[in-house]
């Protein structure tokens, strides 16, 4: 007897109340059970990379910042690091401390936002309003420190734009005092509430193996038991002096990580505390001194024209995970030849699409929200060839990659092997 | 045949009740939204926001998907008609308009019929989200009703033993009530059944744990996903009416006392005062079961909700009914 399968395909998106941004997932369902998930990217393409190649290094900073409203500092910071590496610019130590402070403030606001969204996705709006009310304080602090609630424009190539003086320092200390009262409440609700326990436990389990295969990063990877944090493994800036170490779910829940939504959430709660600690230490240890290498932007543009030669890579742990920016420039031009950001959501999305198989429809929104997707950062590539979109195989991608490498670096000669260097298969 | 007594008065009463309950239930929605907003430290919409919503939806264009068949259009009207018919059997501070033998059964069936029409309308729309919502509604319906039916029949049967002329009628609650049985065991049983009815009411009006068929974030309002304009307005009104009616049943069983007697009123004025007092009791019950429950819980998965309703609530209903019926059996 042949087995008859009553599978239904439903589109989940592009516009859906459970998704904050347009993105399409095609779910194959067997009743309420998810059999397969097909991720369709490309609904948010804004052509930022294309625009960027027509601007100079300083102008790109503003563009990079506007890729995402939540992790705007992270994008700017990572891009700046890539350019600094390509140009060989040393950053003053005080600037590094200020970068740490603003970065951790942003992490607090991003994690609080995500915790609220998670609660909203299970219909628990009271917790949403609790966390988002708490989030207002850090937004106000960011406004006091940087002048804006989003898109802070705090980082510049070779330093930071604004100093943290005594008045701002007091505002930040005020905020830390406020959060030391509020975080225990939030932690208690998220770790012990029965509804949250029922909905988040054993939902969308990403095993360590799947997480490694798909390259999951950030809280998603750490929730699955991968001990990695770009700030820690890269020994980034002054983070080692502040005693950074990756937050694992067992530090918060006291159990072995299972890789479910609950563990990812627990990592975020642990990181809230860690961020507070880092800010406190950074404020204590911050040395005096200048905050930027080049005082004026026009000088900076002129210097970068000479200094940038070759490539630079910036790595930073954005709230969602490891963020990489690649910049390649040539002497004599104030525009980069190539600028390529890699968003943490991209690998995480495929990891969670793998992990949600076998769960129910109701779990899907929670699962997607648990990686804190930033879909407008992710969507920057659509392959259009001969006027139509098509699916590329591994070979096509390799060919395109070789073509692009030749284009930006004509010195490379010879024929690369069909299986590229570093490919595992 | 008494034309006035049998036809004109019931119809006039029904229309009057329909007008009053529509206003009251929509007003309750506004109060509920405001109260929940205050609990969440928000300001919330104005109290008469549901009226604005209703009028706005009535004036908007209605879009019917081309995959839909005629039941898509008929379902909202039939659901509202069922809700209006249900008003004739709902105890609202006085004996229902069409009270007769066995109207409890009619009441339960009509209440289920509203959900049934909603399911039929949703399936007819042809949207996959609506189909998931319909499947969820059907699942949760067959899980919540048995506990309630068992409890209500046990109560009716036990009260019938106290000696009333029409057992299994809604009028029974105004002659005897559950607290009058008088043994300690029945008191404990009544408390347990109150819990059963509160959970039943919460799942009937789909708040908190049981906001599953309409889950906005998951399946985009599920059953209502394809409805717009007038039909959506009718379904929203039906939902508000249903909340009032379902709460009326619980109030009639557990808190049936009126206040007209204390003022020495009789006739129509007594009915009006009792109706207003009953509405107040309904609001208080809906506040506890609806607003507070909505504010302190999130949504469960459908499997967890079914599990909860069968393992916990049905069991409680069984125990409560047995305790209530114990002394008659023994």
């Amino acid at each position: 007897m042949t087995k008859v399968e009553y599978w239904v395909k439903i589109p989940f998106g592009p516009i859906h109340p459970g998704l904050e941004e347009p993105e399409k997932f095609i779910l194959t369902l067997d009743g309420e059970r998810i059999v397969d998930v097909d991720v369709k990217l490309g609904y948010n393409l804004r052509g930022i990379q294309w625009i960027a190649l027509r601007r100079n290094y300083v102008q790109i900073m503003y563009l990079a910042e506007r890729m995402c409203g939540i992790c705007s500092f992270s994008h700017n910071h990572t891009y700046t690091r890539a350019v600094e590496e390509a140009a060989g610019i040393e950053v003053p130590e005080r600037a590094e401390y200020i970068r740490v402070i603003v970065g951790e403030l942003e992490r607090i606001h991003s994690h609080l936002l995500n915790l609220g969204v998670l609660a909203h996705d299970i219909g628990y709006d009271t917790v949403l309003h609790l966390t988002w009310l708490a989030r207002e304080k850090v937004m106000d602090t960011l406004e006091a420190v940087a002048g804006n609630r989003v898109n802070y424009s705090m980082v510049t190539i070779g330093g930071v734009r604004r100093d943290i003086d005594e008045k701002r320092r007091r505002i930040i200390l005020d905020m830390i005092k406020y959060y030391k009262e509020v975080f225990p409440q939030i932690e208690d609700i998220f770790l012990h509430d029965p509804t949250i326990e029922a909905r988040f436990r054993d939902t969308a389990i990403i095993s360590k193996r799947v997480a490694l295969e798909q390259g999951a990063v950030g809280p998603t990877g750490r929730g699955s038991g991968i001990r990695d944090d770009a700030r820690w493994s890269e020994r980034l800036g002054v983070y080692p002096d502040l005693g950074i170490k990756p937050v694992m779910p067992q530090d918060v829940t006291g159990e072995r990580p299972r890789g479910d939504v609950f563990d990812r959430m627990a990592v975020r709660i642990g990181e809230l505390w860690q961020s507070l600690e880092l800010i406190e230490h950074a404020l204590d240890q911050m040395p005096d001194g200048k905050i930027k290498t080049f005082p004026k932007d026009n000088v900076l543009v002129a210097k970068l024209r000479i200094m940038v030669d070759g490539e630079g890579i910036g790595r930073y742990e954005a709230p969602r995970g490891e963020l990489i920016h690649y910049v390649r420039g040539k002497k004599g031009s104030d525009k980069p030849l190539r600028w390529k950001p890699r968003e943490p959501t991209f690998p995480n999305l495929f990891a969670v699409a793998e992990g949600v198989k076998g769960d129910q429809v109701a779990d899907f929104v929670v699962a997607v929200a648990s990686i804190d997707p930033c879909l407008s950062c992710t969507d920057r590539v659509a392959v259009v060839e001969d006027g139509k979109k098509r699916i590329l195989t591994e070979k096509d991608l390799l060919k395109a990659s070789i073509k692009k490498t030749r284009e930006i670096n004509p010195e490379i000669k010879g024929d690369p092997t069909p299986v590229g260097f570093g490919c595992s298969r | 045949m008494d034309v006035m007594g049998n036809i004109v008065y019931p119809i006039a009463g029904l229309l009057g009740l329909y007008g009053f309950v529509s206003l009251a239930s929509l007003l309750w929605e506004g109060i509920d939204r405001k109260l929940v907003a205050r609990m969440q430290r928000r300001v919330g919409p104005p109290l008469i926001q549901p009226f604005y919503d209703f009028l706005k939806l009535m004036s908007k264009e209605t879009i019917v998907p081309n995959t839909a068949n005629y039941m898509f259009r008929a379902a909202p009207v039939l659901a509202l008609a069922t809700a209006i018919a249900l008003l004739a059997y709902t105890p609202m501070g006085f004996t229902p308009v069409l009270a007769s033998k066995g109207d409890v059964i009619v009441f339960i069936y009509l209440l289920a019929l509203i959900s049934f029409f909603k399911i039929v309308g949703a399936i007819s729309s042809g949207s996959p989200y609506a189909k998931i919502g319909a499947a969820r509604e059907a699942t949760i319906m067959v899980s919540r009703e048995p506990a309630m039916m068992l409890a209500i029949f046990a109560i009716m049967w036990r009260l019938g033993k106290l000696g009333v002329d029409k057992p299994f009628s809604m009028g029974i609650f105004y002659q005897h009530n559950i607290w009058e049985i008088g043994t300690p065991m029945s008191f404990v049983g009544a408390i347990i059944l109150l819990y059963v009815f509160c959970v039943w009411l919460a799942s009937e009006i789909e708040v908190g744990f049981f906001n599953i068929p309409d889950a906005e974030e998951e399946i985009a309002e599920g059953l209502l996903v394809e409805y717009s304009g007038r039909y959506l307005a009718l379904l929203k009104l039906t939902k508000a009416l249903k909340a009032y009616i379902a709460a009326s049943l619980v109030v009639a069983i557990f808190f049936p006392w009126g206040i007209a007697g204390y003022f020495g009123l009789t006739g129509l004025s007594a009915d009006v005062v009792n109706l207003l007092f009953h509405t107040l009791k309904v609001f208080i019950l809906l506040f506890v079961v609806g607003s507070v429950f909505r504010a302190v819980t999130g949504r469960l998965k459908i499997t967890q909700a079914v599990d909860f309703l069968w393992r916990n609530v049905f069991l409680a209903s069984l125990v409560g009914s047995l305790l209530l019926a114990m002394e008659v059996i023994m």
Side-chain angles (χ1 to χ4, degrees), chain A residues 10-13 16-18 29 32 120-126 129 133 195 198-199 203 360-363 365, chain B residues 39-42 128-129 132 135-136 209 216-221 294-304:
Chain A
I10 68 164
F12 204 89
H16 190 278
L29 297 180
E32 284 260 339
H120 174 66
D121 281 344
I122 60 165
Y124 205 159
D125 279 353
T126 311
H129 293 297
L133 184 74
T195 321
R199 285 303 301 273
T203 300
Q360 295 180 21
V361 187
D363 294 333
V365 178
Chain B
M39 282 184 237
Q40 295 172 346
R41 299 192 204 170
R42 287 186 290 129
Y129 292 123
I132 295 175
R136 287 178 175 192
F209 277 175
E216 191 197 328
E217 291 81 19
E218 287 160 16
I219 47 171
E221 295 274 1
R294 182 149 79 91
V296 300
T297 52
R299 185 188 305 126
L300 289 181
K301 291 184 215 172
I302 182 76
T303 44
Q304 289 166 340

Side-chain angles (χ1 to χ4, degrees), chain A residues 155-174:
Chain A
V155 193
T156 182
I157 296 165
V160 292
R161 283 183 191 281
R162 290 180 202 85
D163 202 357
I164 291 184
D165 54 14
E166 194 47 43
K167 192 179 135 214
R168 286 169 182 151
R169 189 191 144 92
R170 265 205 312 277
I171 291 171
I172 296 174
L173 286 174
D174 248 26

Side-chain angles (χ1 to χ4, degrees), chain B residues 297-320:
Chain B
T297 52
R299 185 188 305 126
L300 289 181
K301 291 184 215 172
I302 182 76
T303 44
Q304 289 166 340
V306 169
D307 237 39
F308 177 70
L309 285 171
W310 279 108
R311 287 214 188 133
N312 191 330
V313 179
F314 186 74
L315 214 64
S317 171
L318 206 63
V319 172

Side-chain angles (χ1 to χ4, degrees), chain A residues 285-414:
Chain A
Q285 297 178 16
M286 200 157 64
D288 287 337
K290 59 176 187 174
I291 55 165
K292 49 180 161 180
T293 325
F294 306 100
K296 283 205 167 26
D297 275 359
N298 50 359
V299 179
L300 179 62
V301 174
K303 288 262 185 193
L304 283 175
R305 187 191 275 266
I306 310 161
M307 288 174 85
V308 179
D309 191 19
E311 58 188 11
I313 291 178
R315 278 180 79 201
Y316 175 65
E317 185 81 7
R320 286 144 182 76
E322 184 188 321
L323 180 65
I324 300 172
H325 277 240
Y326 169 86
V327 173
R328 184 181 186 92
K330 214 170 102 188
K331 211 169 191 170
S333 163
D334 59 357
K335 295 179 182 63
L337 282 169
R338 185 98 179 88
W339 170 52
K340 162 80 184 163
R342 214 265 335 237
E343 199 359 72
T345 305
F346 189 70
N348 286 351
L349 207 54
F350 291 99
V352 84
E354 197 66 36
V356 84
K357 281 178 195 167
D359 286 356
Q360 295 180 21
V361 187
D363 294 333
F364 187 72
V365 178
V366 183
V368 170
S370 74
I371 62 163
D372 200 358
C374 182
L375 299 167
S376 65
C377 305
T378 310
D379 281 355
R380 276 186 307 283
V381 177
V383 176
V384 180
E385 211 158 302
D386 308 332
K388 63 181 178 193
K389 199 171 168 186
R390 63 192 183 101
I391 297 164
L392 297 184
T393 59
E394 196 178 339
K395 213 178 249 175
D396 292 334
L397 287 172
L398 199 64
K399 217 193 272 173
S401 148
I402 292 166
K403 197 176 140 202
K404 189 80 191 173
T405 311
R406 292 243 170 86
E407 203 179 296
I408 61 175
N409 199 352
E411 286 110 71
I412 294 177
K413 294 281 188 305

Side-chain angles (χ1 to χ4, degrees), chain A residues 235-248:
Chain A
R235 302 188 63 71
L236 194 83
V238 290
Y239 274 107
D241 305 343
L242 296 168
I244 179 93
K245 66 181 197 338
V247 178
M248 302 298 284

Side-chain angles (χ1 to χ4, degrees), chain B residues 242-293:
Chain B
K242 195 176 148 189
Y244 187 96
I245 291 165
S248 290
L249 178 69
V250 184
V251 167
I253 294 174
F254 292 97
F255 318 103
W257 311 285
I259 52 164
Y262 296 105
F263 298 126
L265 297 171
T266 49
L268 189 64
S269 53
D271 281 355
V272 169
V273 169
N274 275 339
L275 179 61
L276 290 176
F277 187 58
H278 174 83
T279 307
L280 181 70
K281 285 187 287 189
V282 164
F283 282 7
I284 291 170
L285 185 73
L286 281 177
F287 171 71
V288 176
V289 177
S291 312
V292 175
F293 191 57

